[in-house]
Amino acid sequence: QVQLVESGGGLVQAGGSLRLSCAASGSIFSINTMGWYRRAPGNERELVARIKSLGSTNYADSVKGRFTISRDNAKKTVYLEMNSLKPEDTAVYYCNLHVGMADYWGQGTQVTVSS
């Protein structure tokens, strides 16, 4: 049984920083993609950033230059360093693990950026 546990969300002022973490547990094939998605009220869930097991990354245009995704394969953990946060970054952030044909999701962590 694969589980993803997120941590690190919270309330921050605009211009501030937060770091999200997501730890995976269970039997996971080593070749996979881990990522972060977010859903703001009234919006669809959207990709924020993802990173493959060998380190290649993709970012949404809206976060390029401000967010950095990284992973520790030994710890089966993915991180999202968020800097220069804006009120429009307010959303529930979800960790995702994509392996083979399967997708696994965390429970979500709230990020609120005040202006």
Side-chain angles (χ1 to χ4, degrees), residues 45-65:
R45 185 167 58 192
E46 62 176 359
L47 172 69
V48 177
R50 59 189 172 198
I51 182 168
K52 295 185 177 180
S53 49
L54 294 182
S56 61
T57 58
N58 296 98
Y59 292 92
D61 288 343
S62 59
V63 307
K64 283 180 181 177

Side-chain angles (χ1 to χ4, degrees), residues 66-79:
R66 300 189 297 122
F67 292 10
T68 302
I69 191 169
S70 61
R71 61 187 288 166
D72 184 328
N73 290 334
K75 295 181 178 179
K76 292 188 285 187
T77 299
V78 64
Y79 306 96

Side-chain angles (χ1 to χ4, degrees), residues 22-54:
C22 172
S25 61
S27 179
I28 301 169
F29 187 58
S30 60
I31 306 300
N32 58 67
T33 300
M34 298 188 78
W36 291 93
Y37 290 71
R38 67 186 181 188
R39 178 158 54 201
N43 289 356
E44 297 290 322
R45 185 167 58 192
E46 62 176 359
L47 172 69
V48 177
R50 59 189 172 198
I51 182 168
K52 295 185 177 180
S53 49
L54 294 182

Side-chain angles (χ1 to χ4, degrees), residues 3 6 14 28 65 70-71 83 94 101 111:
Q3 288 190 319
E6 300 132 335
I28 301 169
S70 61
R71 61 187 288 166
N83 298 315
Y94 297 91
M101 298 294 288
V111 171

